């Protein structure tokens, strides 16, 4: 298909950044590697079939439907008091094309809504439990007593508490009801951006929440799948996603301009897998650890721990398609991959 990067082509691109640099720098070594018996088992030949990157046979950059969940960050806040009312309810969630999951949610979506406040703002929060089991809320951005605020809310009950955002960064929020691993694995998490009082430099901003899905067998006439507890304990997800849907920004690339500042707010909800965040073809100008303090400069890849958040600033040097991944490539293969589209590259994507 002319003008479209096939999944195979993208995999070749991704594989290119995996190869040892010594191979390119030393032709003799390269020849000996090619001649070594058994090497084909280590390095697949180009004609080998690609891994099922999108799990849905969707061509990269050729969306057949609107994106499930946009990645654009909400604007900086303009109010000092944020009244947030969130309902917990169980809802069906499309993890990948044709894969429907019996999710537990904040607000009927996975991840829950993204919120944005500024240091000094107050959050006036109410959780309303519309589900048939207890749920709760834990804001990592809040500094309050869990024994008072992060308590179970029974079905058809509600709970109110407030806090003042004191520390800038990008923070996870999640249900903290035991077993927490199940409540997170089922979809009860989201991101809260806390801006510093002095705004960060202007940039095109995206929010990515990485998370995993562990699928049990299909059940019922409509083949809905729910959590496989043992697979979760074994750290063996079926899908690893950005914003709840496998590879959705491969089929729906994020458009940016060449050279413009781009900022990713990345939260890793887990519940188990560390994210090794990397943009192929770029070096991060700045990485703010947990979104606060003096940034690291000139970073190729940086980990986002489970339950943590990082802010990544990057610029793309020339027109083209730039994959962003968790460089733990098993997870990229399972859906933790997307594309940035810089400018309007010829031979690029048609989105
Ligand atoms: Cu819950």
């Amino acid at each position: 298909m002319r003008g479209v990067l096939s999944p195979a082509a993208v995999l070749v691109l991704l594989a290119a950044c995996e190869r040892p640099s010594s191979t390119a720098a030393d032709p003799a070594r390269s020849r000996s590697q090619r001649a070594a018996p058994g090497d084909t088992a280590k390095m697949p030949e180009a004609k080998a079939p690609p891994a099922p990157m999108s799990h849905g046979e969707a061509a990269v950059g050729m969306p057949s439907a609107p994106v499930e969940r946009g990645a654009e960050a909400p604007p900086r806040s303009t109010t000092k008091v944020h009244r947030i009312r969130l309902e917990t309810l169980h809802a069906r969630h499309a993890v990948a094309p044709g894969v429907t999951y019996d999710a537990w949610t904040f607000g009927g979506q996975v991840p829950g809504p993204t919120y944005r406040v500024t240091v000094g703002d107050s959050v006036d929060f109410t959780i309303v439990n519309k589900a048939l089991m207890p749920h709760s809320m834990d804001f990592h951005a809040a500094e309050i007593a869990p024994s008072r605020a992060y308590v179970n809310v029974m079905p058809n009950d509600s709970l109110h508490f407030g806090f003042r955002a004191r520390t800038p960064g990008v923070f996870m929020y999640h249900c903290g009801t035991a077993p927490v691993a199940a409540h997170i694995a089922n979809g009860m998490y989201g991101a809260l951006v806390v801006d510093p009082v002095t705004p960060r430099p202007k940039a095109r901003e995206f929010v990515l929440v990485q998370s995993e899905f562990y699928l049990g067998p299909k059940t019922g006439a409509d083949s809905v799948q729910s959590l496989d507890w043992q697979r979760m304990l074994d750290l063996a997800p079926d899908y690893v996603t950005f914003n709840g849907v496998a590879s959705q920004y491969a089929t729906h690339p994020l458009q940016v301009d060449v050279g413009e500042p781009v900022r990713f707010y990345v939260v890793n909800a887990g519940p188990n897998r560390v994210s090794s965040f990397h943009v192929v073809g770029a070096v991060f100008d700045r990485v703010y650890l947990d979104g606060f303090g003096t940034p690291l400069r000139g970073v190729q890849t940086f980990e986002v721990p489970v339950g943590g958040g990082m802010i990544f600033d990057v610029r793309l040097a020339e027109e083209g398609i730039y994959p962003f991944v968790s460089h733990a490539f098993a997870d990229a293969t399972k859906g933790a991959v997307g594309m940035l589209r810089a400018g309007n590259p010829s031979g690029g994507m048609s989105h």
Side-chain angles (χ1 to χ4, degrees):
M1 200 174 297
R2 191 171 179 276
V4 176
L5 273 184
S6 70
V10 172
L11 273 179
V12 168
L13 182 58
L14 293 174
C17 75
E18 287 284 73
R19 289 178 186 142
S21 58
S22 57
T23 302
D26 183 350
R29 178 182 164 85
S30 178
R31 281 195 299 277
S32 71
Q33 283 192 340
R34 280 202 299 273
D39 256 8
T40 51
K42 298 174 190 169
M43 182 73 77
E45 294 182 19
K47 65 183 181 185
M53 231 169 80
S54 71
H55 289 265
E57 308 306 324
V60 172
M62 287 295 285
S64 57
V67 70
E68 290 288 335
R69 173 71 176 258
E72 292 74 19
R76 186 176 162 90
S77 83
T78 56
T79 178
K80 300 303 290 179
V81 178
H82 302 261
R83 291 191 171 81
I84 296 173
R85 180 183 186 276
L86 257 185
E87 293 185 348
T88 55
L89 61 155
H90 296 186
R92 293 182 175 183
H93 172 71
V95 179
V99 180
T100 305
Y101 189 77
D102 184 14
W104 303 352
T105 78
F106 288 112
Q109 56 182 284
V110 181
T114 298
Y115 297 105
R116 187 163 188 174
V117 306
T118 302
V119 167
D121 289 359
S122 295
V123 174
D124 183 88
F125 177 68
T126 303
I127 177 174
V128 181
N129 190 355
K130 300 282 194 181
L132 297 175
M133 65 173 66
H135 289 298
S136 59
M137 173 58 93
D138 172 346
F139 282 108
H140 286 194
E143 295 164 77
I144 53 179
S147 55
R148 173 177 66 82
Y150 301 161
V151 295
N152 286 340
V153 181
M154 293 298 124
N156 294 315
D157 203 353
S158 64
L159 176 73
H160 172 264
F161 63 86
F163 65 93
R164 187 178 298 272
R166 290 198 326 121
T167 307
V170 57
F171 294 90
M172 182 181 179
Y173 69 78
H174 65 94
C175 178
T177 296
V180 179
H183 288 251
I184 292 176
N186 276 335
M188 300 191 78
Y189 46 77
L192 169 63
V193 175
V194 181
D195 283 311
V197 173
T198 301
R200 299 182 193 283
K202 188 171 170 51
R204 185 166 315 225
E205 297 184 326
F206 301 103
V207 176
L208 300 177
V209 179
Q210 181 175 317
S211 64
E212 303 129 33
F213 289 86
Y214 303 84
L215 274 55
K218 294 180 177 179
T219 57
D222 47 7
S223 299
V224 175
Q225 293 174 265
S226 55
L227 176 64
D228 186 313
W229 179 250
Q230 190 58 50
R231 287 181 70 83
M232 195 280 301
L233 292 179
D234 292 343
L235 316 185
D238 296 280
Y239 293 98
V240 183
T241 71
F242 291 129
N243 294 343
V245 182
S247 310
Q248 63 180 320
Y249 307 122
T251 47
H252 300 74
L254 306 180
Q255 179 69 48
V256 302
D257 293 332
V258 175
E260 80 167 326
V262 175
R263 179 167 299 132
F264 285 102
Y265 297 93
V266 182
V267 160
N268 185 8
N272 294 318
R273 301 283 302 165
V274 168
S275 179
S276 298
F277 193 66
H278 174 76
V279 176
V280 180
V283 175
F284 294 119
D285 288 335
R286 298 179 186 80
V287 177
Y288 296 84
L289 273 60
D290 228 40
F292 184 41
T294 304
L296 301 176
R297 304 296 301 265
V299 179
Q300 57 186 303
T301 302
F302 206 81
E303 289 190 347
V304 186
V306 178
M310 300 281 173
I311 299 176
F312 297 86
D313 285 359
V314 68
R315 296 169 199 254
L316 306 181
E318 57 181 330
E319 282 195 333
I321 307 297
Y322 296 71
F324 57 89
V325 296
S326 173
H327 215 284
F329 261 90
D331 295 344
T333 302
K334 292 175 179 178
V337 58
M339 303 288 156
L340 287 160
R341 182 177 186 270
N344 186 24
S346 60
M349 299 176 182
S350 61
H351 179 58

